Amino acid sequence: MTPFPLDLATQFGKPVMYLVFLLIGFAFGYTLEISGFNKSTLLAGQFYFRDSRVIKVMFTAIITAMVLIFLATGLGLLDYNLIWVPPTYLWPGIVGGLIMGVGFILGGFCPGTSLVSAATFKLDGIAFVAGGLFGVFLFSETEKFYDAFFNGSYYGRLTLMDVFHISTGQAVLLVLVMALGLFWVAEKLEQRYGGKAPSTGSKPRYAAWFGTLALGLVVLTIGQPTNIDKWNRIAAEKEALLKERAVQISPAELLTSIADDQLRVIMLDVRSERDYNLFHIHGARRVDGDNMLAIAEELLIDPKIGETVIVLMSNDEAAATEAWKILVAEEVPNVYILEGGINEWLSIFAVDDPNITPKDGPVGDDELRYNFSIALGDNCEAADPFIHEWELEFEPKIKLEKKRGPTAGGCG
Amino acid sequence: MTTASQTEKTSFLKKLFNRPEKEYADPYLGGILLGLVLFASLFITGSGLGASGGYSRYVAFIEDLVAPGHIDQVPYLIHIAGGELNPLDNWIVMVTTGVLLGGFVSGLLHGRAKVELVKGPNISNTTRLVMAFIGGIIFTFGARMARGCTSGQALSGGAVLSAGSWAIAFAIFGSAYALAYFVRKLWL
């Protein structure tokens, strides 16, 4: 497990967490103010090539944070899976962005800068904030009319690496080169239209640019940890859990959990399609064992993942255990394995089913130990046992843990 | 901000508010500091910076005061203020409150916290105020549509390489540049 991000609420309590966010906000407001972002004419000057402060500050901030983030993830201090990457809703994003641009050039601010402007008593900033509050009201009252559009063209946690099929280090370098190019253009435009002298004394500036580029190359060189690297880091601790059988839940506990209305259970069946079609537990979803990284990504952006139990199952336990390792290494919380797999489940719940009979002779590990007269799927009682017909005793092992890191951005 | 009658207090406030106005920081330096703040936020908490989310919650709070039952009929606001939920009980509200405090303190220290109307030379005060108000409406409407503004999407999402955030960032700047010429009277 990476030491960061911290789980502030659990480790230190909510007041401390709120204090940290207040301090972060304070530093955010302070740096926006010293950057001149409380003055609308300076902000708008960007769009007339007079003053490129906005581009310079924004892109310097982006590349500074980006390089440090991916150094930290590369060194194993921080897990990229646990930081908030805004999910992509392509068209609402683009349309919203185009609308924001109109508001920017008319009003002279964006929401963050307008708060700083209002806090320093600029009357136009206060007017923008008032309008901004009304804008939220307007959106919330009309959202129901374009709900489908607002929730459409959803691509999940889509990154530049996914879009361009490049590594994280390459994406970092790409953004760095683009930003430095923008700075160069901005300087030239300022000299031409803003009447600014070619910057003198810019040695520290060049040093900073080359320093950032060098750090970008370091990010590219050290790379990002693979799933196997992540597993190796936690293997000792997690292998012990497997050995103590702390994460293998009995069929009885699974059935009880499914029947519990208060608990959300996601069952992932990692067996072959053939076995799944012969029999699977009602509500279980078949996933490909080779595809677990994508499944991890999908689970991690589920906003209710901290209140959900994930149960993996194979015929015995081998394939389910491999899938468990992948999910756990990716920091998916509350993942369990069905003890004894589907074979064990059938040995309890399928005793009376004439269509399901034990195989004769030896059966390999993690293979079905039953014959099926027809492909049952989940069309039989054993797939969806009625809990009150069974006297179930088990040692409960499920302990819900919240996911570390945010489950939503600051935009809700 | 000062009233003449309160002598002792006034002189203190005058001192506080009439500091000589200092120049803004070098933009690259400001950017590095802002980047460090953003990194600290992501590194410690996993969350980036944001502003427009705070707007939503303040609005939900006001609506809850004015028309308590109404929120429960607005699908978009139910998840932040439906039923017993307190819309202000959220980290982003802390961030935006901090932004106000931090901006104020910096403005005070650098002699830039004073009542004034900042505008282009060729428009009236009223035009500037009306345009700022309208711009505010349009901007946050767009920010809600895009699920975040320049802070939450362009800055924070950009730094963590979200594809959607980069699309949004280019849309914001593209549209502002495209329109700038037609409204140049506002600023030049």
Side-chain angles (χ1 to χ4, degrees), chain B residues 24 35 43 50 59 64-65 68 81 94 100 103 123-124 151 153 169 172 176:
Chain B
Y24 291 116
F43 189 66
V59 167
D64 239 357
L65 287 181
M94 293 292 129
L100 288 169
I123 54 167
S124 68
S151 315
Q153 291 283 11
I172 297 174

Side-chain angles (χ1 to χ4, degrees), chain A residues 6 18 33-34 38 46 48 80 84 86 88 98 105 107 110 114 122-124 132 141 150-151 158 160 187 411, chain B residues 24-25 28 44 46 55 70 74 89 106 112 116 118 128 140 144 147 150 160-164 175 177 180 187:
Chain A
L6 301 174
Y18 277 8
E33 206 282 339
I34 62 168
N38 59 339
Q46 175 71 48
Y48 300 97
Y80 184 51
W84 177 250
T88 295
L98 295 173
I105 198 66
C110 59
S114 69
K122 309 286 177 271
L123 297 172
D124 51 329
E141 292 299 316
F150 180 58
N151 290 305
L158 187 73
L160 294 183
E187 294 289 336
C411 305
Chain B
Y24 291 116
Y28 295 109
I44 297 169
Y55 270 80
H70 180 64
V74 182
D89 184 8
S106 173
R112 296 187 289 250
E116 59 180 325
V118 181
R128 173 67 191 119
T140 50
R144 297 300 74 215
R147 295 174 169 79
T150 18
V160 296
L161 304 176
S162 158
S175 130
Y177 271 114
W187 301 108

Side-chain angles (χ1 to χ4, degrees), chain A residues 148-325:
Chain A
F149 173 74
F150 180 58
N151 290 305
S153 56
Y154 176 61
Y155 292 88
R157 185 180 159 124
L158 187 73
T159 62
L160 294 183
M161 292 74 93
D162 302 327
V163 174
F164 297 116
H165 303 287
I166 51 178
S167 74
T168 305
Q170 289 166 334
V172 165
L173 268 191
L174 188 78
V175 172
L176 276 178
V177 168
M178 189 193 69
L180 296 186
L182 275 176
F183 295 153
W184 185 78
V185 173
E187 294 289 336
K188 292 283 162 213
L189 288 172
E190 273 185 348
Q191 284 164 29
R192 182 151 176 195
Y193 296 98
K196 297 200 178 176
S199 45
T200 49
S202 48
K203 263 186 190 159
R205 183 171 300 171
Y206 291 127
W209 288 357
F210 281 109
T212 324
L213 258 184
L215 281 179
L217 285 171
V218 172
V219 172
L220 184 70
T221 316
I222 61 175
Q224 299 291 311
T226 62
N227 182 266
I228 293 165
D229 296 334
K230 291 180 188 178
W231 170 254
N232 287 337
R233 218 175 279 145
I234 56 171
E237 178 198 343
K238 300 293 178 187
E239 291 278 12
L241 288 179
L242 287 171
K243 215 169 255 164
E244 293 159 18
R245 302 201 60 80
V247 293
Q248 290 90 343
I249 63 165
S250 64
E253 185 167 13
L254 175 58
L255 183 59
T256 312
S257 303
I258 298 168
D260 183 349
D261 289 339
Q262 307 290 315
L263 195 61
R264 179 165 166 245
V265 180
I266 295 180
M267 287 180 280
L268 299 176
D269 192 327
V270 298
R271 296 174 304 151
S272 68
E273 196 166 353
R274 181 183 163 276
D275 287 357
Y276 179 83
N277 288 339
L278 284 175
F279 173 85
H280 62 261
I281 298 176
H282 180 70
R285 170 179 158 202
R286 200 188 84 78
V287 295
D288 203 327
D290 298 333
N291 200 25
M292 291 316 289
L293 283 176
I295 301 290
E297 210 168 272
E298 186 191 316
L299 292 170
L300 282 165
I301 58 168
D302 187 325
K304 294 222 162 73
I305 199 66
E307 307 141 39
T308 306
V309 175
I310 295 150
V311 183
L312 294 160
M313 56 192 73
S314 51
N315 285 323
D316 292 320
E317 287 180 6
T321 305
E322 285 313 303
W324 183 87
K325 289 179 181 175

